[in-house]
Amino acid sequence: MFHSYDVIIIGAGAAGLMCAIQAGKRGRRVWLIDHMAKIAEKIRISGGGRCNFTNIHAHPQCYLSQNPHFCRSALKQYTAQDFIALVRRHGIAFHEKKLGQLFCDDSAKQIINMLLTEAREAGVKLEIPTRVLDIETIQAGYQVKTSKGDHTCASLVIATGGLSIPKIGASNFGYETAKKFGLNVIRPRAGLVPLTFDGALLERCKMLSGLSVEAEVCYKKQVFAEGLLFTHRGLSGPSILQISSYWQEGEQIIVNLAPATDIFRFLKEKKQSQPKLHVSNALSEILPRRLAQSICDEQTCNGTLGSLSDSKLAVLARAVNDWYIKPTGTEGYRTAEVTVGGVDTQELSSQTMEAKKRPGLFFIGEVVDVTGHLGGFNFQWAWSSGYAAGLVV
């Protein structure tokens, strides 16, 4: 079986679906394929099954890339408000959880169904599961050899995502395709992922597993102030996931477990007013009791406030407000929400996502070296980059 299409899109996730919709609306003959029998699984599982589909504060400063300005054009072409308007047109109820994060009131499946409806109305041919066996350049564009036959197209779009969450079909297909056609790939690594530790610190984390606090986490110039969660492997929670996208192996991070309180000043004032109060009880007024006791034990700082020197209280305070720790690694792609790195943005047009030295070849979504912060930013990049490509393929 052989067909000639205007556009073949490999990868039927968020970016691929958006690109197919826009190309189909322009009257282009679009073949959308995916190697999985179930498509858009990242949409389905995101936000606890309610899909954090965008963030109203999406702007370039919320994205990590070797070229931080690259995402600007696509985000301007298709904004969070544009996607919100689409959601509203389909009658999907949603709410803002916090910090501009928008979720479906009901189910992430509503977003998937909305996109499939739009694609069907735009005349997109979706065929799954379809495995790609090889891609070759031809005079008219590209020939894609698949498990459903060999087909040709003028425009080929790679929307196969990154390496995060392999159980739902993540693969290195997009990176290998980029390399095949001579494009540079920034080394991929797990992003928005829990950090792991070993030794005594791991044992402390295990003892405190399940305990959470509002914390401020810092790595070099990046600071995130959100929830932190102790786990049996190390540290997680929004603040840790955010910093993980920036953290480099072998480096330290700084955690402030009580960002709203100068702990040294607090303890000194308590020492003046309640000298017989046990230091762990004083600290428990700011931190969860188990955490307070753990810090006191770790710093061998127990007893009444009146029995402890100011220098000892200062050491204890630093363990709360300036906790320097060195992760041994991350939990990896198994639990990572995104992949940092990918197809080098220097290889692509920021307006269209087309490869500069390979006319008709496009890369969109997570496969590109653009990674958003936690909270709907990565879905917005998928919508925006897919839309930008869909206007020209």
Side-chain angles (χ1 to χ4, degrees), residues 50-309:
R50 291 191 173 181
C51 188
N52 181 191
F53 57 80
T54 192
N55 193 298
I56 59 176
H57 304 306
H59 49 74
Q61 290 90 333
C62 300
Y63 293 86
L64 172 64
S65 173
Q66 294 281 323
N67 177 7
H69 299 294
F70 178 83
C71 63
R72 188 180 303 275
S73 175
L75 292 173
K76 189 176 292 185
Q77 289 182 65
Y78 193 82
T79 68
Q81 293 303 323
D82 290 324
F83 192 78
I84 291 167
L86 177 63
V87 170
R88 285 193 168 121
R89 282 204 304 275
H90 282 259
I92 299 172
F94 64 90
H95 61 278
E96 180 181 347
K97 191 172 182 181
K98 63 175 183 177
L99 303 173
Q101 302 169 15
L102 301 186
F103 291 77
C104 296
D105 286 356
D106 185 16
S107 169
K109 293 178 182 177
Q110 293 175 292
I111 299 296
I112 299 173
N113 291 336
M114 174 190 77
L115 294 168
L116 289 174
T117 298
E118 289 279 323
R120 186 168 56 251
E121 291 176 353
V124 174
K125 182 180 180 183
L126 171 64
E127 198 160 0
I128 52 172
T130 301
R131 288 183 299 110
V132 176
L133 308 177
D134 194 18
I135 302 170
E136 296 178 355
T137 54
I138 57 175
Q139 188 171 0
Y142 296 86
Q143 182 176 43
V144 183
K145 298 181 178 181
T146 78
S147 58
K148 302 289 176 66
D150 299 350
H151 307 290
T152 64
C153 60
S155 296
L156 176 63
V157 182
I158 308 300
T160 49
L163 298 170
S164 54
I165 322 181
K167 69 179 181 180
I168 61 171
S171 78
N172 66 351
F173 178 88
Y175 309 134
E176 293 305 311
T177 301
K179 292 174 185 176
K180 173 185 173 75
F181 289 103
L183 277 64
N184 185 48
V185 174
I186 306 298
R187 184 181 68 85
R189 57 187 175 86
L192 297 181
V193 62
L195 297 175
T196 58
F197 300 85
D198 60 11
L201 184 50
L202 175 59
E203 292 308 309
R204 282 188 68 200
C205 289
K206 286 180 177 178
M207 287 174 53
L208 297 168
S209 183
L211 187 150
S212 64
V213 294
E214 289 297 312
E216 188 176 86
V217 183
C218 175
Y219 173 73
K220 294 185 177 178
K221 294 182 179 180
Q222 293 297 324
V223 181
F224 293 99
E226 292 183 69
L228 176 148
L229 174 69
F230 289 87
T231 76
H232 63 286
R233 289 192 182 91
L235 296 176
S236 187
S239 61
I240 292 294
L241 298 185
Q242 296 276 39
I243 215 70
S244 73
S245 293
Y246 293 87
W247 175 75
Q248 297 289 332
E249 197 168 341
E251 301 274 357
Q252 287 186 321
I253 62 172
I254 308 170
V255 179
N256 185 345
L257 294 166
T261 305
D262 181 330
I263 295 296
F264 182 53
R265 177 182 295 177
F266 169 79
L267 292 175
K268 280 187 67 176
E269 290 174 353
K270 282 287 183 181
K271 181 178 177 179
Q272 290 289 325
S273 61
Q274 296 175 267
K276 293 183 179 181
L277 182 65
H278 197 283
V279 64
S280 65
N281 289 336
L283 205 53
S284 295
E285 294 181 22
I286 306 298
L287 299 173
R289 182 168 295 278
R290 273 197 301 150
L291 178 57
Q293 187 60 62
S294 171
I295 294 171
C296 290
D297 291 343
E298 176 69 18
Q299 300 301 322
T300 59
C301 185
N302 280 295
T304 62
L305 289 167
S307 68
L308 298 169
S309 66

Side-chain angles (χ1 to χ4, degrees), residues 292-339:
Q293 187 60 62
S294 171
I295 294 171
C296 290
D297 291 343
E298 176 69 18
Q299 300 301 322
T300 59
C301 185
N302 280 295
T304 62
L305 289 167
S307 68
L308 298 169
S309 66
D310 284 357
S311 60
K312 194 68 174 174
L313 294 180
V315 170
L316 184 63
R318 283 196 295 274
V320 178
N321 288 141
D322 285 291
W323 185 28
Y324 281 75
I325 49 178
K326 185 186 290 186
T328 56
T330 75
E331 289 190 10
Y333 293 118
R334 182 182 63 83
T335 57
E337 295 198 18
V338 294
T339 304

Side-chain angles (χ1 to χ4, degrees), residues 15 18 22 58-60 63 67-83 345 348-354 363-365 368 370 377-391:
M18 178 59 77
Q22 296 311 314
H59 49 74
Y63 293 86
N67 177 7
H69 299 294
F70 178 83
C71 63
R72 188 180 303 275
S73 175
L75 292 173
K76 189 176 292 185
Q77 289 182 65
Y78 193 82
T79 68
Q81 293 303 323
D82 290 324
F83 192 78
T345 56
L348 307 175
S349 161
S350 62
Q351 281 78 37
T352 66
M353 306 293 122
E354 185 175 20
F363 291 84
I364 59 175
V368 179
V370 174
F377 297 103
N378 286 292
F379 275 128
Q380 186 56 47
W381 169 245
W383 315 135
S384 296
S385 60
Y387 180 89
L391 292 180

